[in-house]
């Protein structure tokens, strides 16, 4: 099978790594990729947001499957262009991707499908904003309606800051604060059959102990030793299947990866958000534990044959990933710094480096090229073991000005 992956982050590197280990994959391509992906796939300098260019590349490569990684090309309709040309694609249509692209749309779908989520108001005027903030009280949860790369959400006890963020958005969702640990649960679907993956936990704040600003994600681990073993079945029944059924009922079936961001509150599971693609960095740890070869599962989803897929097989062990971010991330990151120690990091047993924002400079050195630069991933017999390997590998990498969290999976490893 010839596979083309669209995107160039650590999630796409994780996808490419798994696909490169799949004996059914005979050729692996990625556009645009990054310096690390170039080691496992042939990379092509094609703009991921340009549907016509992506379709042309897929056709010229005779790709049997295109996997679209990030949300931006999905919301821009890249999967639609591929489908129109008859190319099997793993990733939802632009209409179905609105589940991620518009928080107001997601709320509407959840209400129709009776999916448990935070109570919310959609506001467009200062008067509506003030009324909503007043109705819920602190802590305030204020979400830009549109895509904002994980940075459109402000959770704060400060009314002035909440109001300022809300007023800066064209359309804003203001909602009830959900207390309790967060879980990311992904499901692969062909629009009808829904196959949940193993749950993971992401660390969204920039600094240790969940301090600092929200980011795209600073680390992740799987499994969750503290979670109810029934959680996956419950979320499949109450969240994932009803959402997929509702979108099919509306004539905009969702095929691809449905990501449920959940809060486990004292009153039960609530959806915080949906995404229309694999999460980053959770994908790094979920795929590290998946034993079933990936390409066939994604192809079955892309072609509507997921009901025929045998149950997925998972390793009993654990996986941990820690993100190395550029100086100043999640603010405007400094880029162009040389990254050293990658070969030494790769020598750590059961650890590997997945590249996010990296590139080669004119001298062929690997340099930082984005906010999240690397995702150092390791597997182990348990979380403590995986954590040790990941942090050992990370300690061998040098990137001037970079920062990372030191507490990824720490509490969970101690509770296991
Ligand atoms: P989102 O982009 O919707 O995932 O929000 C980013 C982060 O903000 C989430 O991972 C949560 O940590 C936090 N958040 C979002 N919505 C809520 C909520 N209703 N209550 C508490 N925290 C929230
Ligand atoms: N890890 C959060 C996300 O992918 O949106």
């Amino acid at each position: 099978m010839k596979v083309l992956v669209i995107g160039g982050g650590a999630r796409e590197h994780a996808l490419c790594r798994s696909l490169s280990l799949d004996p059914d994959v005979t050729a692996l391509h990625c556009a645009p990729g990054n310096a690390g992906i170039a080691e496992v796939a042939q990379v092509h300098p094609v703009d991921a947001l340009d549907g016509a260019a992506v379709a042309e590349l897929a056709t010229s490569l005779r790709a049997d499957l295109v996997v679209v990684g990030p949300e931006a090309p999905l919301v821009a309709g890249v999967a639609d262009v591929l489908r129109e040309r008859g190319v099997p694609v793993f990733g939802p249509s632009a209409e179905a991707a609105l589940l991620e692209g518009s928080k107001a749309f997601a709320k509407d779908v959840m209400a129709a499908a009776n999916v448990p989520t935070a109570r919310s108001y959609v506001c467009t005027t200062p008067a509506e904003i003030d009324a909503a903030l007043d109705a819920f009280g602190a802590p305030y949860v204020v979400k830009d309606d549109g895509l904002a790369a994980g940075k459109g959400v402000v959770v704060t006890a400060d009314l002035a800051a909440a109001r300022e963020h809300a007023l800066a958005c064209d359309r804003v969702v203001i909602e009830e604060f959900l207390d309790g640990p967060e879980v990311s649960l992904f499901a692969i679907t062909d629009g009808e059959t829904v196959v949940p993956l193993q749950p993971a936990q992401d660390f969204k704040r920039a600094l240790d102990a969940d301090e600092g600003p929200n980011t795209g994600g600073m680390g992740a681990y799987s499994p969750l030793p503290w979670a109810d073993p029934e959680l996956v079945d419950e979320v499949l029944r109450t969240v994932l299947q009803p959402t997929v059924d509702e979108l099919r009922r509306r004539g905009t079936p969702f095929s691809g990866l449905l990501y449920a961001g959940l809060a486990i509150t004292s009153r039960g599971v609530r959806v915080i958000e949906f995404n229309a693609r694999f999460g980053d960095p959770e994908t790094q740890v979920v795929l590290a534990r998946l034993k079933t070869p990936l390409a066939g599962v994604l192809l079955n989803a892309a072609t509507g044959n997921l009901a025929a897929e045998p149950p997925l097989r998972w390793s009993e062990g654990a996986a941990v990933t820690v993100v190395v971010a550029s100086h100043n991330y999640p603010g405007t990151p400094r880029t162009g710094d040389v990254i050293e120690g990658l070969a030494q990091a790769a020598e750590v047993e059961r650890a590997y480096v997945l590249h996010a924002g990296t590139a080669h400079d004119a001298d062929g050195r690997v340099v930082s090229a984005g906010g999240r630069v690397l995702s150092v991933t390791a597997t182990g017999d348990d979380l403590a073991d995986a954590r040790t390997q990941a942090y050992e590998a990370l300690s061998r990498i040098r990137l001037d000005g970079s920062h990372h969290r030191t507490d990824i999976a720490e509490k969970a490893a101690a509770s296991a």
Side-chain angles (χ1 to χ4, degrees):
M1 192 190 312
K2 299 191 192 73
V3 184
L4 169 62
V5 175
I6 303 302
R11 159 188 51 213
E12 287 75 31
H13 195 175
L15 285 162
C16 284
R17 182 177 184 275
S18 291
L19 290 165
S20 74
L21 298 172
D22 182 337
D24 284 337
V25 175
T26 52
L28 184 59
H29 299 267
C30 185
N34 60 35
I37 292 173
E39 291 169 17
V40 290
Q42 191 179 338
V43 297
H44 303 266
V46 167
D47 179 3
L49 294 176
D50 183 342
V54 168
E56 209 163 290
L57 177 64
T59 311
S60 73
L61 297 171
R62 299 177 197 284
D64 301 294
L65 172 68
V66 178
V67 180
V68 182
E71 61 274 22
L74 293 167
V75 170
V78 168
D80 302 77
V81 180
L82 289 160
R83 276 198 194 91
E84 277 158 26
R85 311 260 176 109
V87 182
V89 52
F90 183 81
S93 67
E95 277 181 307
L98 267 187
L99 209 51
E100 169 162 5
S102 165
K103 302 216 182 257
F105 176 78
K107 286 290 185 188
D108 187 61
V109 169
M110 284 189 268
N114 220 357
V115 169
T117 185
R119 288 181 296 120
S120 65
Y121 294 106
V122 181
C123 308
T124 52
T125 67
E128 286 171 358
I129 288 167
D130 286 333
L133 292 172
D134 189 45
F136 291 126
Y140 304 99
V141 182
V142 181
K143 303 184 169 187
D144 193 338
D145 180 47
L147 279 188
K151 296 177 211 159
V153 177
V154 167
V155 181
T156 177
D158 178 346
L159 178 59
R163 204 163 174 272
E164 188 188 349
H165 181 59
L167 290 170
C169 305
D170 286 337
R171 196 149 82 127
V172 64
V173 174
I174 294 177
E175 69 180 30
E176 155 193 33
F177 179 78
L178 298 174
D179 207 358
E182 288 180 37
V183 172
S184 300
L185 184 62
F186 305 162
I188 291 173
T189 176
D190 57 7
E192 203 161 340
T193 301
V194 181
V195 176
L197 307 186
Q198 288 286 305
Q201 190 171 50
D202 177 18
F203 293 75
K204 288 235 167 71
R205 300 281 184 158
L207 306 176
D208 281 1
D210 293 329
E211 303 281 348
N214 256 322
T215 70
M218 295 298 290
Y221 67 92
S222 177
L224 313 179
W226 50 268
D228 180 347
E230 300 298 318
L231 179 70
V232 173
D233 285 345
E234 181 192 340
V235 175
L236 175 62
R237 199 175 61 248
T238 61
V239 173
L240 298 165
Q241 190 71 56
T243 301
V244 166
D245 291 345
E246 172 63 17
L247 284 166
R248 191 175 64 251
R249 196 188 62 72
R250 292 180 180 214
T252 53
F254 186 103
S255 141
L257 194 290
L258 178 58
Y259 166 140
L262 307 161
I264 314 299
T265 77
S266 53
R267 289 175 299 139
V269 175
R270 299 280 185 279
V271 174
I272 292 179
E273 63 162 347
F274 282 126
N275 291 318
R277 37 83 194 169
F278 281 100
D280 188 345
E282 299 95 312
T283 299
Q284 286 85 304
V285 290
V286 172
L287 292 184
R289 298 187 53 227
L290 179 66
K291 289 210 272 192
T292 306
L294 185 61
V297 185
L298 301 185
L299 183 66
N300 276 338
T303 54
N305 292 317
L306 210 50
E309 182 69 35
L312 298 178
R313 291 178 293 111
W314 296 95
S315 85
E316 291 297 317
V320 171
T321 196
V322 184
V323 170
V324 176
S326 294
H327 178 71
N328 203 41
Y329 176 80
T332 308
R334 193 174 88 200
T335 57
D337 291 301
V338 175
I339 304 163
E340 287 174 305
L342 290 170
Q344 289 82 347
E347 284 168 10
V348 176
E349 209 190 338
R350 300 176 81 175
Y352 45 91
V353 177
L354 298 169
H355 291 222
T358 66
H360 287 114
D361 70 2
D363 301 324
R365 295 176 303 183
V366 178
V367 296
S368 60
R372 289 189 290 179
V373 179
L374 302 164
S375 192
V376 183
T377 307
T379 57
D381 294 338
D382 55 25
L383 285 172
D385 186 20
R387 236 187 137 247
T388 304
Q389 306 301 318
Y391 278 106
E392 171 58 32
L394 189 148
S395 73
R396 300 179 182 200
I397 295 172
R398 283 175 309 284
L399 170 59
D400 193 38
S402 69
H403 62 99
H404 65 267
R405 282 184 62 158
T406 67
D407 63 348
I408 303 301
E410 188 173 37
K411 261 194 235 153
S415 77

